Amino acid sequence: MNMLTDADIDPAPLAGKRVAIIGYGNQGRAQALNLHDSGIDVVVGLRGGSGSAAQAEASGLAIALLEDAVASADIVMLLAPDEIHAYLYHEIEPHLRDGAALGFSHGLSIRFGFVEPRADLDVFMVAPKGPGTALRLLYTEGKGMIALWAVERDVSGNAEGIALAYARALGCGRTGLIKSSFAEEAEADLFNEQAVVWGGVPALLEAGFETLVAGGVSPEVAFLECIGELKLIADLIEARGIAGMREAISNTAELGAVLGGPKIVDQALRDRMADILNEVRAGKFAEALRSEGDAGYPLLDKARSEARASAVEQARLKLKGVERRS
Ligand SMILES: NC(=O)c1ccc[n+]([C@@H]2O[C@H](COP(=O)([O-])OP(=O)(O)OC[C@H]3O[C@@H](n4cnc5c(N)ncnc54)[C@H](OP(=O)(O)O)[C@@H]3O)[C@@H](O)[C@H]2O)c1
């Protein structure tokens, strides 16, 4: 693995260039502000009547309608939700300058064909490995978030330099940049979202909570045991790795982990993980995402209201009330 940092990266490819950030959500806000604070000429491109315009302006950023922002920029970063990239690209394509660079923070739209960029465009990816809020916070603390980068198409001969200078201006080069590809980033990211951190872990926490409650344990104690300790473990793993985490806990907890972990994560679970990876690679998830957006998010709306009404959420709110009163 070749990890690049600031010292390896020439900032010159962004000198005198204008970057249009399309979308001012989680990533758009963080990236626009980090670039701006790094001295880059940034314009935020928003749709007419956007509720984000006032916030972006109040932060000292230039804003413009999508088509004007795109037409004025050398580099255009698509930072709106992935499921609308096809529609959004169609809207902005006529306004893209000849030979501009088109950037993404996720490989999905290129890997699964949501966007087929015009032949004259450079196409690159800088994908910070974490949420925009953390990308911004780390930057303001003088630190940076690790990122993957890739070049899908280099028409100008400068695409690699642009991608790296862009990642540097985000602050990611303070920690490190790993070369990847749109396909690798998209497949690994979608797999993790479903099978591990965003899908698997919360489902495991809830299943543990429900098992304890069904076994007669009070919801509040079940919550504290199964969910309340997650941050402590996450912090330990982040600081010391899984091996170091094991050494930092009691022998009782460590033996429980050694005996219980393999019973839960057995071969059947690993087989289901492999199924998820295969489905991701076959494009099934990308198709589901696009259909969900087209249909107005029925599955997400249902899941959100079920989560708010769940026993685990009720236990959390009760405990929060106790914390507030104490
Ligand atoms: N979330 C993360 O931290 C994260 C981490 C790594 C990579 N990424 C990638 O970064 C990209 C952006 O994700 P995100 O989570 O930051 O998106 P997001 O917060 O959902 O993006 C919201 C922004 O998109 C704009 N938008 C939505 N629909 C639009 C439309 N039809 N036309 C024009 N603008 C529209 C919104 O405009 P209004 O302001 O007008 O509502 C808003 O400014 C994605 O490719 C994602 O995979 C995200």
Side-chain angles (χ1 to χ4, degrees), residues 23-27 47 50 52 79-82 84 87 105-106 130-132:
Y24 197 68
N26 200 325
Q27 279 296 316
R47 55 186 164 180
S50 169
S52 308
L79 294 177
D82 297 298
I84 66 152
Y87 153 79
S105 281
H106 190 8

